[in-house]
Amino acid sequence: MPQRTRPEILFPLFAPVTALKGIGARIGGHLERLAGPQVVDLLWHLPVGIIDRRYSPNLVDLEPGRVATLVLTVVKHHAPPVRNRRIPYRIDCRDETGEITLVYFHGRADYLKSALPEGEVRLVSGSAELYDGRLQMTHPNIVAKTADRETVMRVQPVYPLTEGLSQNVLGKAIGAAIERTNELAEWLDPALVGQRKWVPWQQALMAAHAPGDKKDLEPAMPHRMRLAYDELLASQLAIMLVRSHVRRQAGHPIAGNGRLRSRVLRALPFELTNSQKTAIDEIGSDMAAGHRMLRLLQGDVGSGKTVVALMAMLNAVETGRQAAMMAPTEILAQQHYATISPLAEAAGVRCALLTGRYKGKARDAIVAGVADGKMPLVVGTHALFQDDIIFKDLAMAVVDEQHRFGVHQRLLLAEKGAAVDVLLMTATPIPRTLMLAAYGDLDESQLREKPAGRKSVKTTTASIDRLNDAVAGVERQLDTGGKVFWVCPLVEESVTVDVAAATARHAALRERFGDRVGLVHGKMLGKEKEAVMARFAGKDGPSIDVLVATTVIEVGVDVPDATVMVIEHAERFGLAQLHQLRGRIGRGDRDATCLLLYGHQIGDTGRERLRVLRDTDDGFEIAEQDLRLRGAGDVLGTRQSGLPEFRLVDIDAHGELLAMARDDARMIIERDPGLETARGNALRTLLYLFERDAAVRFARAG
Ligand code: ADP
Ligand code: MG
């Protein structure tokens, strides 16, 4: 019987970290922040260094400065005078060959007396120094009884830490987590394991946590490769299970007669670019085919994805069925609606906007129209997949900025109809290898041309010391009727600090330019943000001409008059993100300028990255360069990339394993789509181990 829920053998790993002996709420909180909430998360927290504690000389031979584990007899405690806390607590010790003093600043007498009782022998590990010709060791790392020799005198792994945790506490917690593992049935192909000389999973895990020397920490070591491969295989298999589930559902071929689309084409104030035409054709033939479409439309900001998506949706509407477009934010959904609804109207097609803000009667009306089919086209946010939204006959779903949604959410919309064709859209060009990591193989259309007449944005870079010049430049723009975006950076991933920086800049610019300066940031309510945006767009309220913003403006917001963008601490942004931001200006007929201000901390790579941005306007080129300069690991790690975050995979070192894992996963699904063989069952355990529970559901039953 194939496993349909998490196998019992994994239960010990899927408990909170506080289930480990000696881990209470406080330490548990630190562990959670560092690695994750569950025991299994500790397994994936791999060491980054080693301390060799096997060196155990007599005192006469001791090399100062080198970590050593000494066998010492405790001679005498010297507590400091009660009133003088600056004098340390000292403990004299000796062996047969010499003497050493242990030194503790702010040492607690009760603890030290019990850990190092006078007259007893103890193991003391740490590094000693010579002080006035005498040996002393300040704050030994480890004090233990001689019986613990085996656990102390070894190569100790060194883990990345967080405040409030010590190596000893973390090391013990990870050790306890490893204790909870079991030998698991092999899920890898035995031929691969043999050829690569890999050891079984549990052994590989133990080896990764018990490095014997520095070399063992390298990603190319077999135990690390094996663990990385396991993670890649789980990820690829999960992606493919979901996708083969999607494909298996017979699609309804969709081929409209073109009558609505030709009306829209006539209503467009511009010619489609060749890339747009090609993409529309590719999507059209996918929709006409018998299987379900799952296609990614990649195109730089401003490349005109919305019109392409509209054509695909109208294709469905021409056949009497419905289409929906989902965007990750209210602002974006509104903007799509603003683009789409006049065109739909020109074609005589009703179109509704549905977001979380629609309540009561307004919402009821839309829900009713969606349910009885009178509303063929809907644009919205997450609000679209609430339970009570029932489409009469949803045929086609478009998901914009798809990486902002989880796989699960993307599927939810698709489940609102029978065999819905799905078009994913993204403005973040994703290099080939990373595409593979994120999606497996995915059909893809690219918009590589910019619409004709698009002004390119002149980009310059300058040190933040030139802030005053920047402000003077802003003033000149305002004098000629331009509008300015002023973007404040992300500070240590903390929304609060971001907001503080933006608020301070807003106040400073107001001193100079008065009420024409507005502020939007991530902590404002949707309504407040929209009101400010609307004033900036010149729609209602007193005009705002300088908009200070955190990255909330990154997507959305079409303000054709915006001619200048100043980005503070540009070096802290990802290149793709900067490029997206820059895409917000130069949408009208005036020349546009982007000024990248960098801080003093910028390094050579940082400078080179900004140079790439200055020299090219091609999003694909920028993505490739970013990858080259930062390495895939960093690109993968960025919040905006929308790619899975691997725990054990270092894409730069383990890249070759990716294609292997893909082929492996494909073969598995061909041969054993239900994961029912012995290996299939082991693979289910692998999927649960890496928390791909949702994917297991899609292993074909029976
Ligand atoms: P994005 O790919 O960033 O979503 P949009 O679809 O929002 O781009 O298009 C950006 C702007 O370009 C819109 O105002 C749109 O009307 C316009 N546009 C789209 N296609 C063309 C074209 N072929 N020629 C000129 N302008 C176009
Ligand atoms: Mg767009």
Side-chain angles (χ1 to χ4, degrees):
M1 183 59 197
Q3 192 73 44
R4 301 253 174 250
T5 53
R6 179 185 297 143
E8 261 175 60
I9 199 164
L10 296 182
F11 285 1
L13 303 179
F14 288 87
V17 286
T18 46
L20 296 171
K21 216 173 123 241
I23 306 296
R26 195 177 58 82
I27 301 287
H30 294 316
L31 290 175
E32 174 164 354
R33 207 149 33 84
L34 181 68
Q38 294 178 299
V39 172
V40 71
D41 295 310
L42 293 176
L43 301 181
W44 311 145
H45 194 72
L46 296 185
V48 291
I50 54 164
I51 297 174
D52 189 345
R53 299 199 185 277
R54 290 172 302 183
Y55 172 60
S56 184
N58 285 324
L59 285 173
V60 69
D61 301 319
L62 177 62
E63 267 177 57
R66 177 169 171 192
V67 172
T69 302
L70 306 170
V71 185
L72 300 176
T73 304
V74 181
V75 180
K76 193 163 173 42
H77 282 237
H78 304 278
V82 182
R83 276 170 203 296
N84 197 339
R85 306 267 301 152
R86 269 188 300 179
I87 295 182
Y89 194 112
R90 305 166 72 85
I91 304 170
D92 295 334
C93 301
R94 63 164 171 74
D95 68 6
E96 293 92 77
T97 66
E99 292 171 355
I100 187 167
T101 303
L102 310 183
V103 178
Y104 289 89
F105 289 90
H106 306 289
R108 277 188 13 241
D110 48 349
Y111 161 73
L112 293 171
K113 287 240 162 75
S114 79
L116 292 152
E118 286 177 6
E120 306 235 337
V121 179
R122 286 290 182 273
L123 293 174
V124 177
S125 191
S127 74
E129 65 267 31
L130 272 176
Y131 193 80
D132 270 348
R134 301 167 54 92
L135 277 173
Q136 68 173 37
M137 185 184 286
T138 309
H139 294 183
N141 308 134
I142 299 176
V143 173
K145 296 195 172 146
T146 46
D148 293 333
R149 176 184 296 263
E150 296 243 315
T151 49
V152 176
M153 279 194 209
R154 61 173 182 130
V155 179
Q156 183 191 2
V158 175
Y159 293 100
L161 285 180
T162 182
E163 214 172 287
L165 280 180
S166 68
Q167 284 300 341
N168 288 340
V169 171
L170 178 59
K172 270 192 197 133
I174 291 174
I178 295 171
E179 291 263 306
R180 286 179 160 239
T181 62
N182 286 294
E183 243 177 79
L184 300 175
E186 183 60 90
W187 47 71
L188 295 184
D189 177 6
L192 174 68
V193 173
Q195 173 215 335
R196 293 262 169 173
K197 301 200 166 52
W198 285 345
V199 295
W201 173 77
Q202 191 192 30
Q203 276 180 44
L205 187 73
M206 288 175 172
H209 284 283
D213 56 44
K214 274 236 152 72
K215 226 172 121 259
D216 287 337
L217 300 167
E218 289 172 8
M221 291 304 283
H223 52 267
R224 291 244 181 173
M225 293 277 265
R226 147 113 219 193
L227 295 176
Y229 190 78
D230 288 340
E231 186 173 29
L232 285 168
L233 183 61
S235 150
Q236 289 290 306
L237 191 57
I239 291 166
M240 269 185 227
L241 281 169
V242 174
R243 296 206 31 220
S244 79
H245 164 80
V246 169
R247 282 181 179 269
R248 227 164 32 233
Q249 296 172 308
H252 288 270
I254 300 170
N257 58 12
R259 88 200 130 86
L260 301 175
R261 283 172 286 176
S262 60
R263 281 188 220 161
V264 167
L265 285 179
R266 277 198 300 275
L268 282 179
F270 48 74
E271 276 281 306
L272 292 178
T273 63
N274 287 328
S275 314
Q276 281 173 318
K277 288 181 191 155
T278 309
I280 290 170
D281 288 347
E282 286 168 347
I283 295 166
S285 51
D286 252 12
M287 290 175 75
H291 59 80
R292 283 182 67 178
M293 173 170 84
L294 184 61
R295 180 173 280 274
L296 180 69
L297 176 62
Q298 273 199 19
D300 215 345
V301 217
S303 60
K305 294 186 291 295
T306 315
V307 180
V308 174
L310 176 62
M311 291 307 212
M313 293 195 291
L314 289 177
N315 183 17
V317 175
E318 283 167 9
T319 65
R321 308 180 63 203
Q322 292 170 296
M325 177 187 272
M326 182 169 73
T329 66
E330 178 97 31
I331 292 174
L332 256 184
Q334 273 176 6
Q335 190 159 338
H336 283 308
Y337 182 69
T339 311
I340 285 173
S341 63
L343 292 170
E345 199 172 307
V349 175
R350 290 182 68 195
C351 176
L353 176 66
L354 182 65
T355 69
R357 278 181 58 195
Y358 286 73
K359 306 252 154 70
K361 285 216 177 92
R363 185 173 187 278
D364 293 345
I366 299 168
V367 174
V370 168
D372 67 14
K374 295 216 173 83
M375 193 59 76
L377 214 52
V378 200
V379 177
T381 55
H382 301 73
L384 281 180
F385 52 66
Q386 283 161 0
D387 284 343
D388 66 331
I389 310 285
I390 296 159
F391 287 82
K392 176 150 186 279
D393 186 12
L394 183 67
M396 158 86 205
V398 179
V399 184
D400 190 25
E401 296 297 326
Q402 54 81 27
H403 57 276
R404 302 248 176 140
F405 296 95
V407 178
H408 184 57
Q409 293 177 312
R410 295 188 292 231
L411 285 172
L412 272 179
L413 186 58
E415 282 174 7
K416 291 271 177 199
V420 177
D421 277 346
V422 177
L423 181 67
L424 306 171
M425 304 204 290
T426 182
T428 312
I430 308 172
R432 197 73 227 158
T433 31
L434 303 194
M435 275 287 292
L436 191 55
Y439 304 102
D441 289 320
L442 188 63
D443 298 319
E444 192 187 337
S445 297
Q446 291 190 348
L447 301 182
R448 299 207 62 151
E449 277 168 281
K450 281 204 191 303
R454 189 59 49 80
K455 288 272 187 307
S456 79
V457 177
K458 181 168 183 287
T459 301
T460 53
T461 59
S463 154
I464 193 102
D465 296 339
R466 307 253 317 265
L467 192 74
N468 285 335
D469 296 347
V471 174
V474 166
E475 180 150 40
R476 283 194 298 278
Q477 278 297 321
L478 295 181
D479 288 345
T480 63
K483 289 188 181 252
V484 176
F485 277 116
W486 190 295
V487 183
C488 292
L490 262 136
V491 186
E492 293 171 3
E493 313 261 314
S494 147
V495 177
T496 315
V497 187
D498 282 6
V499 170
T503 307
R505 179 61 63 214
H506 174 240
L509 289 171
R510 267 181 91 93
E511 296 223 331
R512 178 96 176 232
F513 302 117
D515 290 345
R516 304 165 75 184
V517 187
L519 172 66
V520 283
H521 58 65
K523 282 212 166 163
M524 285 163 66
L525 295 175
K527 274 195 190 147
E528 296 174 313
K529 269 190 271 192
E530 281 156 38
V532 176
M533 294 289 199
R535 286 177 59 194
F536 186 58
K539 290 213 182 92
D540 49 36
S543 175
I544 286 177
D545 301 319
V546 181
L547 183 67
V548 178
T550 53
T551 44
V552 291
I553 60 158
E554 178 196 349
V555 287
V557 198
D558 218 351
V559 181
D561 290 339
T563 47
V564 174
M565 177 173 288
V566 179
I567 304 178
E568 279 188 54
H569 283 289
E571 77 279 5
R572 293 185 192 157
F573 292 89
L575 280 192
Q577 204 180 6
L578 287 171
H579 180 61
Q580 285 226 16
L581 282 167
R582 178 170 71 172
R584 299 293 108 207
I585 55 172
R587 300 196 146 205
D589 40 22
R590 296 170 51 145
D591 285 330
T593 314
C594 176
L595 176 59
L596 305 175
L597 294 175
Y598 52 83
H600 301 129
Q601 318 291 13
I602 191 172
D604 287 343
T605 311
R607 276 174 207 279
E608 204 183 326
R609 291 175 60 227
L610 296 189
R611 230 173 353 248
V612 169
L613 215 60
R614 200 186 58 197
D615 295 343
T616 172
D617 198 28
D618 177 344
F620 286 89
E621 169 76 17
I622 289 167
E624 296 290 340
Q625 293 288 345
D626 203 15
L627 190 63
R628 182 178 64 80
L629 290 169
R630 287 198 297 167
D634 274 352
V635 177
L636 268 176
T638 56
R639 293 202 295 181
Q640 297 300 328
S641 70
L643 297 165
E645 302 229 358
F646 289 114
R647 308 289 300 267
L648 303 167
V649 178
D650 172 347
I651 282 282
D652 297 312
H654 298 138
E656 58 133 346
L657 298 179
L658 187 55
M660 279 170 53
R662 180 214 34 207
D663 295 343
D664 206 353
R666 189 185 284 152
M667 196 111 84
I668 290 163
I669 289 189
E670 263 167 34
R671 293 194 186 155
D672 183 15
L675 301 182
E676 282 161 332
T677 60
R679 184 177 175 207
N681 239 345
L683 284 161
R684 283 169 187 262
T685 306
L686 171 72
L687 289 168
Y688 283 112
L689 181 62
F690 284 99
E691 298 179 70
R692 302 300 205 277
D693 302 25
V696 184
R697 270 200 303 136
F698 295 114
R700 179 162 23 185

